Amino acid sequence: SLKAFRDLITGLQDVARREPLSIALGKMLDQSGYLQDLREDKSEDSQNRLDNLMELSRIQSAGSITLQKERTDLLGIAARIAAEARIAFDSDIRVEREGELTAAVDITRVEQMLANLLSNARHHGDPAAPILLRLEGQADSVVISVHNQGPEIPEPLRATLFDAFTTSRPGSSAGLGLGLYIVSRIVQTHGGSIDVHSRAGEGTTFRVTLPRG
């Protein structure tokens, strides 16, 4: 429920000041009822939030993300996740490509990264405008960008946008603010980089660069 969500965020921010985040997360999930709500709600949004919570717990416990890389065509991954997101979000998601798109990546992690970026675009963008997922092959890397029309992300928020429990739209109930944090951890573990460009009238673009490996 929305109340459980708000209680969870407030509690986590308070408890995390006094003990490790992984311990705070476990306590607050047990107490808030939010985790049970997610398990009972079978929507794509709720399953994505549940996945992100579990991923955060694993990251905090292990201290890092483990990768199982294999060389693959990133277009195939992107097309599959975009197709699933179109159905789940009832959104117009367009895929564009340019150049050679093979790279050595953890396929499951890249799927998770793309799902979170598309979910973020859907929740914070203009629902009437298409989302553009673009892949561009460069000499030593593949660049993946996700663009949505919508309000500009305020400049002060951009510095902490990839921190846990931070959202680009304060006050939004769209999620826990974990999606972009997990995206950034996946990208960093691959040895890549991520940045964001957001301007009024132009929309927002998240740009991920992954080395070919």
Side-chain angles (χ1 to χ4, degrees):
S1 67
L2 181 56
K3 181 180 185 302
F5 169 81
R6 289 172 173 164
D7 289 345
L8 176 63
I9 290 296
T10 301
L12 274 170
Q13 291 171 339
D14 180 52
V15 177
R17 296 188 187 100
R18 305 190 299 273
E19 57 192 8
L21 182 57
S22 58
I23 297 176
L25 177 62
K27 287 182 177 180
M28 296 312 301
L29 286 176
D30 285 342
Q31 295 170 8
S32 69
Y34 185 71
L35 184 58
Q36 185 61 34
D37 287 348
L38 290 183
R39 284 173 172 160
E40 293 174 354
D41 185 345
K42 300 303 182 182
S43 71
E44 186 73 18
D45 277 350
S46 290
Q47 292 307 302
N48 190 47
R49 294 182 204 180
L50 181 57
D51 288 345
N52 284 338
L53 282 168
M54 296 301 99
E55 186 62 37
L56 175 66
S57 180
R58 286 190 290 268
I59 292 172
Q60 292 296 321
S61 297
S64 63
I65 295 176
T66 301
L67 300 181
Q68 296 181 341
K69 290 185 178 182
E70 57 183 287
R71 187 159 294 279
T72 188
D73 184 350
L74 296 183
L75 179 62
I77 301 175
R80 181 168 63 254
I81 297 302
E84 293 175 359
R86 287 188 195 101
I87 296 171
F89 302 142
D90 191 23
S91 298
D92 181 4
I93 300 174
R94 303 175 185 180
V95 179
E96 294 183 355
R97 63 160 296 172
E98 180 179 343
E100 171 61 38
L101 301 176
T102 58
V105 299
D106 185 311
I107 293 175
T108 300
R109 296 300 188 183
V110 171
E111 289 175 341
Q112 185 179 19
M113 177 193 80
L114 290 173
N116 278 341
L117 287 173
L118 291 175
S119 176
N120 182 78
R122 182 260 185 179
H123 284 300
H124 301 303
D126 180 353
I131 296 168
L132 177 61
L133 171 56
R134 177 173 172 78
L135 298 89
E136 179 183 350
Q138 299 186 347
D140 299 316
S141 63
V142 176
V143 177
I144 303 171
S145 61
V146 175
H147 173 79
N148 64 269
Q149 293 293 337
E152 178 182 11
I153 300 174
E155 184 67 36
L157 290 179
R158 297 180 202 175
T160 59
L161 197 57
F162 300 106
D163 294 347
F165 307 113
T166 299
T167 175
S168 59
R169 303 285 180 257
S172 168
S173 61
L176 284 167
L178 294 178
L180 293 178
Y181 167 74
I182 290 171
V183 166
S184 70
R185 292 298 299 267
I186 291 172
V187 172
Q188 291 166 10
T189 306
H190 277 86
S193 63
I194 182 170
D195 57 50
V196 59
H197 175 84
S198 187
R199 183 174 296 176
E202 296 182 8
T204 297
T205 302
F206 285 89
R207 188 174 185 268
V208 171
T209 301
L210 296 177
R212 291 191 183 275

